[in-house]
Amino acid sequence: MKKMILMAVLLLTTLSAEAETITERLKKLPPEMWVYQALTVVDVAQTMSALDDPCKCYYEQNSLYGKNPSDFQIVATTLAFNAAHAYLVLRMVETGQPEWLIKTVTYGSIAVRAGVVYHNFSIGIRF
């Protein structure tokens, strides 16, 4: 866990270490990346709600977390992965990678995250 947080901090540090501000660089991200980020917020809210449910009938299925992770573990891990994901897409944009590749990564990520949110909703998890 500490390693993931450190990685996220290092990635964010590399974003701000260059001449452009973080805000200027984030503007380069495809607009679809914000859909991914919004779905991530919904997923985290669903997960935290499910784990706090009084029925105790839900458990985390992502083996990265274990069955009953803390809120801190969920948020810290999600921040680390989202920072890495945004950095990957940003570097793809900045290094002139083909548009089809950037869209494949972006839309693929959205599809996976939307699938998780839909699954959570379909088994009764609300937030």
Side-chain angles (χ1 to χ4, degrees), residues 37-53:
Q37 299 297 336
L39 286 168
T40 299
V41 170
V42 173
D43 179 29
V44 167
Q46 287 176 322
T47 299
M48 292 168 76
S49 174
L51 294 175
D52 288 340
D53 195 293

Side-chain angles (χ1 to χ4, degrees), residues 95-122:
T95 59
Q97 298 304 311
E99 187 71 21
W100 67 265
L101 181 59
I102 296 167
K103 294 242 183 247
T104 299
V105 169
T106 304
Y107 288 126
S109 299
I110 290 170
V112 169
R113 188 64 75 178
V116 169
V117 168
Y118 175 77
H119 168 74
N120 290 343
F121 188 81
S122 73

Side-chain angles (χ1 to χ4, degrees), residues 83-95:
H85 186 269
Y87 183 76
L88 168 72
V89 174
L90 182 60
R91 292 301 298 154
M92 290 171 68
V93 169
E94 290 179 336
T95 59

Side-chain angles (χ1 to χ4, degrees), residues 3-4 14-15 20 22 28 30 38 42 45 47 51 57 60-61 64 67 72 85 93 97 107 109 111 123 126-127:
K3 289 180 183 176
M4 281 193 251
T14 62
L15 283 176
E20 292 179 290
I22 292 175
K28 295 178 184 178
V42 173
T47 299
L51 294 175
C57 52
E60 179 58 52
Q61 292 182 337
L64 179 66
K67 289 192 177 204
F72 174 79
H85 186 269
V93 169
Q97 298 304 311
Y107 288 126
S109 299
I123 61 173
R126 307 295 188 264
F127 59 92

